[in-house]
Amino acid sequence: HERTPTRGRQKGPIRMRERDGRGRTFFFRGWGGGGGPMAGDTEDPTAGTDNAPKDPNRHHANNRIKTTKYTLLSFLPKNLFEQFHRFANVYFVFIALLNFVPVVNAFQPELALAPVVFILSVTAIKDLWEDYRRHRSDTEINHMDCLVYSRAEKRYVEKYWKEVRVGDFIRLRCNEILPADVLLLSSSDPDRLCHIETATLDGETNLKQRQVVRSFFDLDCDFDPLKYDSVIECEKPNNDLNRFRGYILHRSGSRDALYKDNLLLRGCTVRNTEEAVGIVIYAGHETKAMLNNNGPRYKRSKLERQMNVHVFWCVVILLVMCLFAAVGHWVWMFQYGDERPVFDVLGPEGTDLSPVMSAVYLFLTMIIVFQVLIPISLFVSIEIVKICQVFFIHQDLDLYDEETDSHLQCRALNITEDLGQMQYIFSDKTGTLTENKMVFRRCTVAGVEYSHDANARRLAMYQEMDSEEEDCPSRGGTLPRRDSVTSHQSARVVLRSHSTKSHRRTGSRAEAKRASILSKHTAFSSPMEKDVTPDPQLLDKVNECSSQMDFMRFHSQHVSQLPSDLADVLDFFIALTVCNTVVVSSPNQPRHKVRVRFELKSPVKTIEDFIKRFTPSRLTSGSNSSSSSSLATSRSSNRGCSSLLSSPSAESTLTKLREERAAAAPPCWDERPRGPEDGELRYEAESPDEAALVYAARAYKCSLVGRLPDQVAVELPHLGKLSFELLHTLCFDSTRKRMSVVVRHPLTDEITVYTKGADSAIMDLIKPPDTGRRQKKIVSRTQNYLNLYAADGLRTLCIAKKVLSKEQYACWLRRHLEAETAIQGREELLFDSALRLETNLQLLGATGIEDRLQDGVPETIASLRRAGLQIWVLTGDKQETAVNIAYACKLLDPEEEILTLNADSQEACASLLDESLHYIRAKFLCMYPSSSSSSASSSHSSSPPHGAPFLVHRLGLVIDGRTLAYALDRSLEDKFLMVARSCRSVLCCRSTPLQKSTVVKLVRNKLKVMTLAIGDGANDVSMIQVADVGVGISGQEGMQAVMASDFALPRFRYLEKLLLVHGHWCYSRLANMILYFFYKNAMFVALIFWFQFYCGFSGSAMIDQWYLIFFNLMFSAFPQLITGTLDKDVSAETLQRLPQLYVNGQNSEEYKPYMFWMNMIDAFYQSLVCFFIPYFAYADSDVDLFTWRDARHHPRLTHHPGTWMNWFSIFFSLSLFFFVSLCYNASCPSCFSPPSPYWSMQRLLGEPLFYLLCVLTPVAALLPRYAAPLPVCTPWCLPDVPPSHLFSASLQIFLPGVSGDAVPQPRPRGKAVGQTSGRDPQEPAGPRRGGGASVPAPHKAVPRRPRPDPGGRQPLRGGPHGEGHAASRQRRRRAPPPRGAAASSRQRLRAPRRGSGGVRAERVRLAHLHAAGVRRPARAAPRRRPPPRHVPRGLGGGAVAGRRPVTPPQSLSCDTRTPICTIVFIKNKSDFYCIFIKETKGTFTFQIFLRLRIFFLSQRFVSFLRHSTKVL
Amino acid sequence: MMASSYNAKDEDGHITVTGPGGGAVLRSKKPENTAFKQQRLPAWQPILTAGTVLPAFFIIGLLFIPIGIGLFVTSNNIKEFEIDYTGADTSSPCFNCSQNFSWNSTSPCTCTVPFYLEQPYESNVYVYYGLSNFYQNHRRYVKSRDDSQLNGNLKSLREPSKECEPYAYHNNKPIAPCGAIANSMFNDTLELFYNDPNGTSVKILLGTTGIAWWTDKHVKFGNPGGVDSNLSAVFQGTTKPLNWRRPVYELDSDQSNNGFVNEDFIVWMRTAALPTFRKLYRIIGKSSQMVPTLPRGNYTLEVVYNYPVRSFEGRKRMILSTISWMGGKNPFLGIAYITVGSVCFFLGVVLLVIHHKCGNRNNGAEISN
């Protein structure tokens, strides 16, 4: 048989083709016949025959990977080429080369090259080192072993990875890493499955199932590569991990489609499968993993962009100076006329230069002499500083998460300072704000709610658990060592659990840690998720029901006689258990599937077979028509959840069951673990919700004990283990938002569809309520509870079922099979097929799953917000859930109003936006009468008002995905932005990944702000990539977000320190460093420039060329590096306590254009001083050229001296200068020619005059820097403040009232007066109501009902609103809209909830909330109640913490109880600042005098302000 | 991505497993809690408040003003006499010389300038010549020299560096010393005579040594062929600079002050930083304790006028000066110190007043309001 391929036909080639939409098709022929890739041509016995085919796969890439950029030869040219992409480098090389031109040469040409060469070589060495590391890792990977079939030897031989070629057959063993993208042809698994772990690709730890290509399904014996005789045609290599298409063409002419489910990807690990064989499809760089491997991204930070502008200005200044000098030189030359003075040296050839030519040459010379103005070392210094900053961020203990033993990763090295300039944060919700730990919380079955109080208490326990729990024996410790690769992994887990034990802080920490250890093996299985406490009532029902079932089964009664509510209960749990894709594994072998099979028989393959076995009489001939097509077993497209149509008949199952029960130890449960760990099966779910539901069902003794493609084994109380024959699994997809399984119920023998999905999806599909009163009641009640759950912040899922008659099923099956076998448009057909099935469902119940907030999220959000950051949450969750989570994490304030935008059409959306704008304008009109009307009334919205600081109101905006789609339309986006930016918080629900990125893009581009996107899942990737800074949370949902991000955080709350502290530091350090670089160089150059006036503009410098050239590199860079790395303008403590300081960076306070110019002016002044003081001192003296360089280093002292490191560095740098000068001046009397500076330094140091100058010059130079602010800043006016307190004093100045209600309200204690203060509940609602009234009634946004207090008080703040008002609102209020037939143009608006006095439903609801004892408003609060430290609560909080706040002179109208001015003095150990915050008309500008280090506040000024406001 | 994932595995490989249950040293990723890594290094920065700024101003003021006064007094005690002998105006005795003279003239022109010293000069008196408007700091001028040649390198003597161009060769002979600086060396001869009240004119002995830096004379400059060589033999084959009257080996009769180590030459070669400069010419040593070095009275300066400055409107001066510890006469530094000190002091006073008034009135009163 080996000779078969010689018949002129190629054997097993692989073609790849690309469908690029233009019909081009590329064919690549490949050699699939086996044999070693190298030996393929030569040793192949067929090679000698006439028409011996050449290796048809030789065109494909081999498996050797090479990620290095350079080779030994190409390194130098290529690296230089890359470096010269940077403009600065070209510039410096140009300057250096200019030196070689004889007429212009200012310096020794070789010397002038030195700095450039130095810079280039440092970068080159860095690149070389990186490349070498890549090379080493490449080599290591290339030399890994794998088993490749050798045709010559007719067996699998070990080969290196790099020798694997496309078309090779590879045998894979358990726990091996895949060397290439392999098409699975055979598996030792009886179900022809192969499980892989894709953690290295996407970080997901759950197992994925991959399936053998269908044509090779029925191979009983081992796969024989020699018999393989097919052509594979597939698409060209691409980087889409979730797509693979192609077909395999057999010799018989039949073709089989290939899908993603058949492909094993390089880098994944084979798990759970003893052995598998596959054919290599893509190798090496064509593998999907490699194609996904894109290097780190380079972003350019805002600061750098600004800096580049100034570099450009420096160039301009340079040119101006050069021009000036050239003209000066011309004049100087001109005055001598024809007679050359003796000191005007002729050109080298003795030629006489004309003044004009001389001036031209001088221009070039001056460029060289002044080159220092463009700081050559600035770029290098910035890079070094950034690396150091990254290092320190890495090292921060506060950003280290012990649970996962991970710390922050900086994946982008060059945008650290952007962290300090963020203005908008876009956050994902699930997994970012929440833990993405789905915990079953409560459920409703058949219209009855089971509140699961005990479960709630249990969950509360986890939050309050305290530190007693010391030594939880690690489960990981009992893990057996596994061989090969995984042994390390398991060992690591074991060890980690030991090593981290000592670090535990709290019990819940430890708990979580243990959970994370466990979840290393099984995702979503922390005890919190697993140990659901059942509701006793429901448990009773389950027991009752199943015992009745049992009873009935024994008495051969028909099961349908069961009371319907009981049946529903049982069905509900069966659905929970069955309707998922959870894989069961045993705890001892976490990666091994539990195999539960009642009988092992050859599975049915064709529909005839199926029909024969499966009630042949009833299935009509319709199905026969489709019998010709082979039966598709791979069901719907994207999940490996196929089902085989093997069908043990119901009867046989039952009998078998009985037998088994009698036998007590059924032999077929061979792998089932026994003993105490009986119930400890592990569930490996693809989504956390599924796991949560299965664990919940298990709590009610309905446990899933095994899952095979064709069977699901379930253990029920009293009934024992039942095997549900799994006919189909219609996997979850985000369009349908539901999944279904079709099973044959073993007890009733009915074909049942269990569906589980989002309530909006399911409720539409419920059987029309007219079918039965009971159903109707269930539906309406369930809907009620669903609303309640959603209000509770729970994720809701509906469970429904449907019983199919055999005819219906057969009818559906026929079309479904057609769909499955269709080549074209299969996905669509399958989708339609699923839609056909999932109709007329019968609602069973609903579940509420809680997704807990992460630790510290509310606090983080609060402080980020105080830092002036706008936080938008973009979530895929539904509106109710999202809103509630937003309340819980303090994103929305109960006391602020919420605009809810739900529209169904473009027009509706437009009108909603208009109304919102109108409303905002009307409501806040009195605050800014002029600006609003001008900006907002521009309804044509062509020009969104940039520039002017937009006003942020106490408003929340909630918008759903559909409306968002309309709002993001070109015509509406400006309007949408206008609305959104005036809201304090924005919540986009139900948004798709694309929408997320569009929103970010829109905000970034239109508002010209710095954006940060944070997320954890694959759906956030696009958003993360679009934002200026992308942050990934390395949470539960894998690594895709992390891979795309610039920074990866273990937890959301670390964002606070990252931004507020590190961001601020990085920004201020770098900004100061850059400014200082400019300043220092400008000053240095200006010194030389002044000298030109005294040397006939001849371009000579009074400074030796060596100093000139190395000034930047050696003498002045070091202190800057230290400062840029270590400087702290404000301590971390202060920064965290006073997030307002962050605004400093947002407004680019540290680096403003005027600062550049101020620095320039300062530099010029200082250079004047530094030049002319020595000038006059030495004027008309015998001082020589080189003695005349003196204290240039002193001005360095001006900037932020910080730690001792800084002082040390300054000292070091100064002494370095002197030391080097001394050495240099002493080293060689005649080298360094032409003018050798021999011994001049020594001589200089011997003169007392030098020291006198050294003292005088800096004082004179720095005097204005300190003295200039003094007229304004009088530090002595600072009040005597207790230094112990952070907030020593604060002043608040209020806008005087305009309206009549002039009685000053005593402020409730603790309530912040300032920015964060809520609206006083006592406040008369006059203005607000007035504002609201102008809004068209039905579509208006109304204030939300305040959340109940954590203490359980439910203040029904009717207050001044009165019943009438509430009633009028109530009239507007609608019942919960029928979710089912969603009206085509519904325009839902959040109903008013405030003043719910007369509304019964509302009351019930509130009462219920109250009864449930929800901890909703601050879910994490009970545990993390802010300690009574002196937290500054906003700006006004300073008043609380410090002294008594100033009582407002008068109460305010127009909701402006905010002080217009707040002054905060801060005194800390190391910081002492005065912050002057002006808050006028809703905007606030901070003037933080950190930079000057002089803190001023003229009391007179303050009193003036206070006084004037009173007058006003 | 691939690479990184395998790197991760690589790290795992470092973990040593001692046994299934045994503990082993695991390298946790936890950062070290050190002051450096956590950025908790002790920091100090000046906090500018009334308490620190005011004393600083006063201290600076109080320090600088006395220093300034001291400097000023010292500078004033230095006696300095300056006489311009350029001969720019017709009344000047050197007018004729300056008019007729150029580099090419061969016959020396001599002029005599009388002057009167009002004060006796007590200690060593330094004689300077001063040039104005002479750009010795011109870029090309400064570089036009060969330090190696001046150091006595024989090879450089024969082949001057190209920096000396176009003053490196003359008639295919290397110029020694080469370069524009040497070429333009100051070559006036100044002689001082004291006119005794009794009518006799006494020539004042001018010391020609000790005017150059020691390091220059002994390290930086050197004659080719060593100290004791026959200079005219060594310089055989070279030619004198174009403007020179004599070759370099005939600058002085004293062998130790001849050739490249001639101190006048060395002084000239140390180029001045500013276009108006003075260079040390001679030292009049103090002869005895009793008699002033230069008693008050009439003097005559006899100039052999060789150096043309008219072309660039330069000036030539002769300066007699004593020096103090701070060098020559320079009132500027003292004035500058006094000024800066006064400004500081004044600011301090003003701020103190403000502080006093402001602080008394407002301290805390408004705050606790």
Side-chain angles (χ1 to χ4, degrees), chain A residues 105-106 137 141 161 177 201 266-267 289-290 292-293 332 336 339 341-348 350 365 391-392 394-397 400 402 405 407 491-492 494-496 499 503 1062 1065 1069 1091 1094-1096 1098-1100 1128 1173 1175-1177 1180-1185 1188 1201-1205 1207 1229-1230 1234-1236 1238-1240 1243 1248-1249 1252-1253 1255-1256 1259 1263 1266-1267 1270 1275-1280 1289 1291 1444 1446 1470 1472 1493-1495 1499 1503 1506, chain B residues 1-3 5-7 9-10 12 15-17 20-24 26 28-33 36-50 53-54 57 60 64 67 71 82 103 128 133-135 137-143 145 147-148 151 163 165-167 180 184 213 215 219-220 243 270-278 307 311-312 317 325-326 330 332-333 336-337 340 343-344 347 351 354-355 358 361-364 366-369:
Chain A
N105 73 333
S137 94
I141 292 166
W161 275 27
I177 298 173
L201 284 184
R266 178 182 172 127
M290 295 302 289
N292 264 300
N293 178 10
W332 185 79
Y336 293 111
E339 211 175 336
V342 67
F343 43 78
D344 188 9
V345 184
L346 302 169
T365 309
F391 169 77
F392 279 115
H394 265 274
Q395 290 298 327
D396 194 335
L397 261 181
Y400 169 76
E402 280 185 25
D405 189 31
H407 47 73
R492 176 176 56 180
V494 174
L495 298 173
R496 184 156 298 149
S499 69
H503 301 307
H1062 288 293
W1065 279 349
R1069 287 166 179 176
F1091 187 65
Y1094 299 95
C1095 69
S1098 63
S1100 88
K1128 286 189 278 191
I1173 286 184
Y1175 169 75
F1176 286 119
D1180 188 30
S1181 69
D1182 60 344
V1183 72
D1184 86 84
L1185 198 53
W1188 202 32
T1203 64
W1204 59 267
M1205 290 287 278
W1207 291 103
S1230 61
S1236 167
Y1238 183 69
W1239 217 249
S1240 41
R1243 185 90 183 186
L1249 192 63
L1252 288 173
L1253 282 174
V1255 175
L1256 176 68
V1259 170
L1263 201 57
Y1266 285 98
L1270 286 181
W1276 19 88
C1277 289
L1278 281 182
D1280 287 335
L1291 279 173
R1444 247 171 343 108
V1446 182
S1470 54
F1472 186 12
R1493 309 258 149 184
I1494 292 191
F1495 326 98
Q1499 287 292 17
S1503 50
R1506 297 191 62 187
Chain B
M1 187 165 65
M2 288 293 289
S5 64
Y6 291 124
N7 285 346
K9 191 178 76 67
D10 190 22
D12 294 347
I15 299 164
T16 50
V17 183
L26 176 89
S28 166
K29 287 185 199 158
K30 182 171 177 153
E32 286 172 50
N33 191 2
F36 175 68
K37 288 192 173 174
Q38 300 305 316
Q39 306 194 51
R40 279 189 272 99
L41 289 174
W44 178 81
Q45 62 190 25
I47 291 175
L48 304 183
T49 58
V53 171
L54 283 179
F57 275 114
I60 290 176
F64 273 30
I67 291 177
L71 286 172
E82 193 175 311
W103 285 107
Y128 298 88
N133 221 2
F134 190 98
Y135 286 84
N137 54 13
H138 192 282
R139 182 173 56 87
R140 289 201 297 275
Y141 182 85
V142 164
K143 288 160 72 172
R145 63 192 282 164
D147 278 335
S148 177
N151 197 26
E163 299 284 352
E165 294 284 357
Y167 306 102
S184 62
W213 294 7
T215 50
V219 184
K220 196 173 171 183
N243 293 341
R270 190 162 278 278
T271 50
L274 297 168
T276 300
F277 61 91
R278 61 171 73 166
Y307 203 73
S311 64
F312 52 91
R317 293 163 298 158
W325 57 269
M326 57 164 285
N330 188 359
F332 168 77
L333 203 59
Y337 263 91
V340 172
V343 167
C344 284
L347 274 175
L351 296 178
I354 295 175
H355 179 49
C358 211
R361 205 190 58 196
N362 281 319
N363 219 353
E366 296 260 5
I367 308 304
S368 55
N369 180 357

Side-chain angles (χ1 to χ4, degrees), chain A residues 1171-1198:
Chain A
F1171 180 81
F1172 284 101
I1173 286 184
Y1175 169 75
F1176 286 119
Y1178 284 123
D1180 188 30
S1181 69
D1182 60 344
V1183 72
D1184 86 84
L1185 198 53
F1186 302 110
T1187 359
W1188 202 32
R1189 78 187 88 77
D1190 64 339
R1192 298 195 304 273
H1193 286 261
H1194 31 236
R1196 176 163 305 139
L1197 302 178
T1198 52

Side-chain angles (χ1 to χ4, degrees), chain A residues 540-550 562 566-567 570:
Chain A
D540 286 349
K541 277 195 182 172
V542 175
N543 278 331
E544 188 189 343
C545 166
S546 51
S547 63
Q548 281 197 28
M549 289 275 273
D550 198 28
L562 206 64
L566 282 187
L570 196 63

Side-chain angles (χ1 to χ4, degrees), chain A residues 584-586 592-596 671-673 681 705-707:
Chain A
V584 187
S585 65
S586 82
H592 283 260
K593 185 166 62 172
V594 172
R595 189 159 295 284
V596 184
E671 281 188 53
R672 202 184 140 232
L681 290 171
V705 290
R707 169 178 294 273

Side-chain angles (χ1 to χ4, degrees), chain B residues 251-358:
Chain B
L251 284 175
D252 199 338
S253 53
D254 182 5
Q255 184 69 10
S256 65
N257 195 24
N258 203 1
F260 290 155
V261 293
N262 179 277
E263 295 202 16
D264 284 336
F265 175 67
I266 292 172
V267 166
W268 179 256
M269 291 304 285
R270 190 162 278 278
T271 50
L274 297 168
T276 300
F277 61 91
R278 61 171 73 166
K279 285 187 184 288
L280 191 56
Y281 183 65
R282 295 290 181 262
I283 299 170
I284 307 170
K286 187 176 172 62
S287 50
S288 77
Q289 292 296 322
M290 306 309 292
V291 192
T293 320
L294 293 178
R296 55 182 282 185
N298 283 311
Y299 289 81
T300 311
L301 170 68
E302 216 175 274
V303 182
V304 182
Y305 201 107
N306 288 327
Y307 203 73
V309 290
R310 218 166 57 89
S311 64
F312 52 91
E313 288 167 15
R315 290 285 179 159
K316 296 197 283 191
R317 293 163 298 158
M318 193 278 303
I319 299 128
L320 295 173
S321 171
T322 59
I323 62 165
S324 70
W325 57 269
M326 57 164 285
K329 191 180 181 80
N330 188 359
F332 168 77
L333 203 59
I335 294 169
Y337 263 91
I338 292 170
T339 312
V340 172
S342 309
V343 167
C344 284
F345 195 81
F346 173 72
L347 274 175
V349 170
V350 168
L351 296 178
L352 185 68
V353 168
I354 295 175
H355 179 49
H356 192 67
K357 290 183 74 176
C358 211

